[in-house]
Structure formats: C-alpha cells, structure tokens
C-alpha cells in the first residue's frame, strides 16, 4: 500500500507523537476522504495538537478512539503501538487494514533504500554505512528509528534507514539491501513472545530484497535464516577480521586486506562485526571497497561513536567510566562486558523490571572476575541470578549515584566502571538520556 492509495479513503492515524505527526502531514497531502488522529495515551507530556495538524485531522482521545479506528478503511499506527495492545488485537481479529508510515514510505522508496535492523548494533551499523557511503562519494539520506521519521525524509537517490522491530513488522516491501546485525530476545512484552519478536524483526527480509546482509557470527540469526541466500559478514568469503602480515588483526574483504583493526576507534568485538556488516553492504552496492580502502580507512578512523553506547567519560582518578545506558537487555550488557575484557571491571546493572531472564548473563559470567552492583528496580533480581559465581562479587545499592560512589571505592585505579544496565530506564528516570545525565553528574560529583 502506497500513500497514493489512501486518496478518497477514510484513514485513522493512531499515535500523536513524532511518527503520528509525520503521517498526518504526509497523508493529508494525498487527499483522503476523511482523516482523523487517535491518541489513547494522551497525558501532560503530550505535545499540543494545533495549527496545520489540527486542520488536517481532528485529534480524538480516550475510549472514543477505538470507534474511530474501527470505522476507518485504513489504520496507520505509530511504531509505539504494541502488537499486544487490546485495540490492535481486536482490529486484526476483525480483518482491519493496519499499516505504518514506514510501510507506506517503503512502498515508494524500497529500490533506493538500505534498511538496517537488529537486536543490537543497528544504530552503529546504519550510521557507519551512511558515513562510509558519503566518504566514497555516494551521498545518502539517513533516518528512520534513529531520529527522522521516514515520511519526513527529503527526496534522495539513496537512503540508509535504521529500523526497529516495530517498524519492520508491517512492511510489505523489503528495502533493496536488507541488513540484520544480531538477533536475541527483546521487547517480548510488546510483540507477544520470542517467536513473534523474531517474526516481526525478520519481516524486513520477507518481501523480495535484492540483497540480504547479516552478521554471520550471530548463532541465533544463523538458525533463523537457515540456508537462505545472504552475505554473511564476518566469515572469510566477505568482510571479516583476520591476522595481517604482521600478525595484528586487519579488516579484509575476502582474501584482500583493507586496513588494520586499530583504525576503528570503537571498542569491542561486536563493533568489529558492525563494521564488517557495513563494509559488506558497501560491496553489495557496487562500491570497490579494495580500491577505496585508503579513503575508507580515513573515514573509519574519523567515525564518532554514538552517544550512550560505550561512551567513555574522562576522569582524573585513572578510572575509565563508560556510559552504555542503551544496553537494555542482558545480551547487550554481555557485549559491553566483553569489550573491556582483560581490565578490572565494575558493572552497574538494573532498571525497569520487565521480567527478563538473566540466566544467559549468569552463564556468560561463569568464568569472569568482576564486580556487579545492582540498582533498583531489577538490580536485586540480577544480583540474585548471579549468586554463587565464584569470581563475581555482587552488591545491591540504593540508587545510581550510590553505585558510582561505591564503584570508585572498589574498582582498581586502572579499572573500568561500566553502566550497562541490562534493563530499560523508565520508572526511576524519564528516559535513557536522563539516566545518562545522572550517571555523568555522579561521576563528576564524586571525583573529588
């Protein structure tokens, strides 16, 4: 379904945030017979619905919203509306036509799009792809889940999109190059379960992409893909890391060396994998990666890591404080812990308790020596899950500030204090940015 298909039809846009606003503006320009916006979660944080938006579509709130959704020919839901929402479940049961702004946009732009999803790494990988393409004279527009709704994007010859599982779920057209960086259980409450989450995430690949590029080192992704044709980055026949002539690790494309691993400023094997995926995408788009390797090496060296993802904070004590607040699952925290292997490590965990299973984290830390500090709400449960591990020292603290203060006392001078919470931020904090602010302020305040 394209935007032009909405002409003359009754359309309800569900959600009044950034995505909903972009949808109303775009749909109104295509002449629907009737257009209404529905917001079932309006509160004091909601932005005003006025001016051109109100002229294009009246805003309906509360219980009346379902009646307007049910009466519409097409419902365009925002990504934040979960698959498990009772209204959505009932609409699907009735056979209603439900789509999203990203799906409407993709129907017209798929052939010019690289779409990147993954349980971890999609933001960094999509940013790298866009950055490296620009460096080799392939201008592109970057957007999607990372900040700019697809329906707000300007016209361009090439797009690079970061796509969440929510955005992937309603696609009926796959992008020209469909990319998956990793796969592990996430957002199960919103999707309805692990199997449903994988289905929604991998829907990116389900509608005829020209090329599929995946992280070939991810075992769960390999299991889900089976024998499907795909470029499996990280394996020897494509972009991968291997020892160079001098024995140090280099990035390669097949058997051809590109540049040393040391060029990439991001820490962690998972970020090596992200760059391998990005290089494989450039190769799939026809970029002569070997010929342009010097240019690419400079661009890689200049790449700035994204905020809140293993962001190191300078400290006069000699400790390295690291903000990885976007690590909201045990699997993401495991990647972060691995990035500092070989250094004394204190990890701060805990946040909104979504009932996640922390057994994989326990298994991962079975032979590791480190300190784990648990903060509310889920921190005590994570600490309990790690009980009995011979080399893991654990303690529960009252809040994030106390955790930073204690971490200074127990971490050796050359060690790392890592905020990698393995849980979301909501409840104790407004959002992940607020949690980062509190962490950084606590680092400053306890420095003296």
């Amino acid at each position: 379904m394209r935007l032009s298909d909405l002409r003359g039809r009754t359309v309800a846009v569900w959600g009044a945030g950034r995505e909903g606003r972009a949808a109303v503006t775009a749909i109104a320009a295509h002449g629907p017979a009737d257009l209404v916006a529905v917001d079932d979660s309006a509160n004091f944080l909601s932005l005003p619905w006025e001016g051109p938006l109100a002229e294009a579509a009246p805003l309906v709130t509360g219980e009346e919203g379902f009646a307007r959704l049910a009466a519409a020919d097409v419902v365009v839901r925002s990504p934040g509306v979960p698959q498990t929402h009772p209204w959505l479940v009932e609409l699907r049961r009735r056979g209603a036509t439900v789509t999203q702004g990203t799906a409407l946009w993709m129907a017209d732009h798929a052939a010019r799009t690289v779409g990147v999803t993954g349980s971890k790494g999609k933001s960094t990988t999509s940013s790298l792809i866009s950055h490296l393409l620009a460096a080799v004279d392939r201008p592109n527009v970057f957007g999607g889940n990372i900040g700019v709704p697809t329906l707000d994007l300007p016209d361009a010859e090439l797009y690079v999109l970061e796509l969440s599982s929510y955005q992937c779920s309603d696609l009926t057209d796959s992008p020209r190059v469909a990319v998956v960086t990793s796969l592990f259980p996430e957002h199960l409450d919103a999707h309805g379960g692990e199997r449903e989450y994988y289905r929604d995430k991998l829907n990116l690949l389900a509608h005829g992409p020209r090329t599929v590029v995946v992280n070939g080192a991810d075992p769960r992704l390999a299991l889900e893909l089976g024998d499907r044709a795909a470029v499996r980055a990280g394996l020897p026949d494509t972009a991968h890391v291997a020892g160079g002539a001098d024995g140090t690790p280099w990035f390669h494309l097949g058997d051809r060396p590109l540049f040393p691993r040391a060029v990439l400023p991001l820490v962690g094997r998972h970020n090596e994998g992200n760059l391998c995926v990005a290089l494989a995408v450039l190769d799939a788009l026809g970029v002569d990666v070997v010929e342009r390797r010097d240019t690419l090496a400079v661009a890689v060296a200049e790449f700035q890591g994204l905020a809140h993802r293993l962001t190191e904070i300078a400290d006069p004590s000699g400790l390295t404080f690291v903000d990885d607040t976007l690590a909201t699952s045990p699997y993401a925290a495991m990647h972060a812990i691995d990035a500092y292997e070989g250094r004394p490590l204190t990890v701060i965990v805990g946040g909104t308790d979504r009932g996640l299973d922390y057994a994989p984290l326990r298994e991962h830390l079975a032979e590791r020596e480190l300190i784990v500090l648990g903060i509310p709400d889920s921190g005590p449960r994570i600490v309990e899950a790690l009980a009995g591990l011979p080399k893991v020292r654990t303690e529960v603290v009252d809040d994030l500030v106390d955790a930073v203060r204690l971490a200074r006392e127990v971490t050796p001078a050359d060690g790392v204090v890592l905020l990698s919470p393995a849980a979301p931020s909501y409840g104790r904090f407004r959002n992940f940015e607020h949690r980062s602010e509190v962490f950084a302020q606590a680092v400053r305040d306890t420095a003296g």
Side-chain angles (χ1 to χ4, degrees), residues 335-356:
H335 283 305
I337 290 167
D338 287 349
Y340 291 95
E341 187 174 8
R343 295 185 64 182
L345 181 62
T346 298
V347 185
I348 301 171
V349 299
T352 306
D353 195 339
R354 296 184 296 174
L356 295 176

Side-chain angles (χ1 to χ4, degrees), residues 121-135 142 146 259 262-267 271-272 274-275 278 295-307 309:
K122 60 183 178 294
S123 298
T124 297
T125 303
S126 56
S127 298
L128 271 167
I129 293 167
S130 178
H131 175 72
L132 297 182
L133 283 170
F142 184 39
I146 202 164
F259 42 79
V263 168
L264 177 65
L266 306 184
V267 299
N271 278 319
E272 294 177 9
N274 291 337
L275 180 53
T295 299
L296 289 169
V298 172
V300 168
E302 293 174 344
F303 182 76
Q304 299 295 313
L306 304 179
R309 296 170 177 85

